[in-house]
Amino acid sequence: MHIIPLEKNLDIETYQYAIIDQALVGVLNGYEEVKISLAPEFSILEENIYPVLIDLTKLDNEMRQELYSEHQSFIKYYQQPLLSILFTLKQEIAEDKNFDLKKYFHTLFYYKKSEKFYLRRLYDPRVILQLNWYDDQIDLLNLVFSPFECMSLYHDLNLYSFKLVTYREAAKINLQKVSKILENIDFMPISYANRLVNKLNIKDLELGFFAQVCKTAYTNLQRIQQKSNQQITQFDIVALLFHMQLLGVNYLQLDQVLSLLASDEGYDQASKALDIQNWEKVFQQLNVSDMNLKNRVIYES
């Protein structure tokens, strides 16, 4: 059973911590006493591009109001929340002197494979929301965020709150177990789904539709991988996912599309170079007559 997020207004008083994604909103200044860098040790010189953790419990009323005002300003002027994730720890976790919150996030966010370091954007609300539906058999959010009593995040400028289930083993966090769970998750489909959502540029993206688009992207990505016999770039994949989202799965079955996919210049560039007459042939085969849809396919491709 998946966690159902409920939309509500932000009451900053109810949370202990907040995560700010500096890669999106820029460097946060003025909160040095309560700011905890979550930059990895292997890239400490670039810590300003990594998320920071804010200990809200150490803010006095004036600083708390200042942070809240900055958050509202980001939403108003940049259409982007300053505080992307807010959470409160379970009481037994908060009282456990052996629990290191910074170490826990490092385990979630960073891993090493074949002598290279990689980043999991588990502080990105879009990734968290996808994890909520990513596997129908397990509640990934409950497993990964088991130290949290509750968690709220922003999606399309709306705040959604999760009440996490209390597991019996949650009192003792096993970082190795959490790391193993994350190692078995393929984050590439999540990344492609997010890129597709950005390319679709849907205004007022409803949460249920977001989940539907992502699920469709996972399925279409598998179809693309089965059809493509050669290495396909990330730009080609996103472009093809975009067209399949608009025109349906039968789009990938067309001979003309398969030839674009096999083009030396890649699907993305080849589809952009396709003239209106050839696009019309595609539309006829798919019985597409909506002019707005046609224009979107041709001019947003």
Side-chain angles (χ1 to χ4, degrees):
M1 186 178 77
H2 292 297
I3 304 163
I4 305 300
L6 302 175
E7 186 178 342
K8 70 173 193 178
N9 295 324
L10 172 60
D11 180 6
I12 199 171
E13 300 287 340
T14 64
Y15 303 95
Q16 294 174 338
Y17 297 94
I19 291 181
I20 295 176
D21 187 353
Q22 294 186 131
L24 291 180
V25 302
V27 179
L28 180 70
N29 295 313
Y31 297 90
E32 276 63 35
E33 294 183 3
V34 298
K35 184 171 65 174
I36 303 168
S37 173
L38 296 178
E41 294 180 358
F42 60 81
S43 187
I44 197 67
L45 296 179
E46 298 179 294
E47 65 176 356
N48 288 340
I49 66 173
Y50 289 98
V52 293
L53 185 66
I54 303 297
D55 188 343
L56 299 173
T57 65
K58 294 182 179 179
L59 290 176
D60 58 31
N61 290 335
E62 183 178 348
M63 288 188 69
R64 189 181 292 264
Q65 184 58 44
E66 180 181 327
L67 183 62
Y68 178 76
S69 297
E70 284 192 51
H71 171 79
Q72 296 298 331
S73 294
F74 265 80
I75 290 178
K76 181 178 180 180
Y77 295 108
Y78 304 113
Q79 301 295 296
Q80 168 71 47
L82 177 66
L83 308 173
S84 57
I85 303 173
L86 302 102
F87 66 91
T88 295
L89 293 174
K90 289 184 171 74
Q91 184 175 351
E92 63 268 28
I93 299 297
E95 295 174 352
D96 184 355
K97 295 181 180 178
N98 294 318
F99 180 70
D100 187 331
L101 187 57
K102 183 173 182 178
K103 181 180 178 182
Y104 182 77
F105 278 124
H106 275 202
T107 302
L108 294 183
F109 298 163
Y110 311 111
Y111 67 102
K112 186 178 181 180
K113 185 176 181 180
S114 301
E115 301 305 313
K116 291 184 178 181
F117 290 97
Y118 296 90
L119 167 67
R120 303 183 185 102
R121 291 188 59 86
L122 281 169
Y123 49 87
D124 187 330
R126 297 170 302 172
V127 173
I128 294 174
L129 286 171
Q130 287 193 61
L131 288 178
N132 194 31
W133 293 283
Y134 186 69
D135 192 321
D136 292 331
Q137 306 304 315
I138 58 175
D139 285 333
L140 283 169
L141 288 185
N142 275 323
L143 292 170
V144 173
F145 296 110
S146 55
F148 297 177
E149 177 68 29
C150 60
M151 175 174 67
S152 293
L153 53 84
Y154 273 86
H155 168 71
D156 201 36
L157 304 184
N158 292 318
L159 182 74
Y160 293 94
S161 296
F162 295 78
K163 186 71 175 180
L164 302 178
V165 175
T166 301
Y167 283 113
R168 284 175 294 178
E169 67 267 22
K172 186 171 182 178
I173 305 302
N174 187 330
L175 285 175
Q176 289 183 337
K177 179 180 178 181
V178 172
S179 181
K180 202 67 179 177
I181 291 169
L182 293 173
E183 285 176 9
N184 293 325
I185 298 173
D186 184 2
F187 280 82
M188 285 309 296
I190 294 177
S191 174
Y192 282 123
N194 280 329
R195 294 180 190 183
L196 172 62
V197 170
N198 287 340
K199 189 172 180 65
L200 289 170
N201 193 27
I202 301 168
K203 301 298 182 184
D204 300 319
L205 181 61
E206 194 270 330
L207 194 59
F209 185 61
F210 172 81
Q212 179 185 341
V213 170
C214 293
K215 278 289 188 180
T216 302
Y218 304 152
T219 304
N220 286 343
L221 184 59
Q222 292 176 343
R223 293 189 176 104
I224 292 170
Q225 291 169 338
Q226 291 169 357
K227 284 288 185 180
S228 178
N229 296 322
Q230 59 188 37
Q231 190 69 23
I232 182 170
T233 71
Q234 60 183 13
F235 301 104
D236 295 331
I237 290 175
V238 175
L240 191 48
L241 285 174
F242 176 76
H243 287 141
M244 291 178 71
Q245 183 69 38
L246 296 179
L247 299 174
V249 294
N250 291 334
Y251 176 76
L252 188 60
Q253 310 302 323
L254 302 181
D255 291 339
Q256 191 169 7
V257 174
L258 294 178
S259 67
L260 291 174
L261 192 58
S263 170
D264 290 338
E265 56 185 342
Y267 176 84
D268 182 40
Q269 292 301 316
S271 63
K272 288 177 179 176
L274 202 64
D275 59 32
I276 293 179
Q277 287 74 23
N278 279 302
W279 271 121
E280 281 297 339
K281 292 179 183 178
V282 170
F283 297 145
Q284 287 176 8
Q285 293 180 76
L286 297 175
N287 295 317
V288 174
S289 58
D290 187 316
M291 285 304 301
N292 289 329
L293 178 56
K294 288 182 179 181
N295 288 334
R296 193 170 185 199
V297 168
I298 296 173
Y299 299 112
E300 291 186 26
S301 60

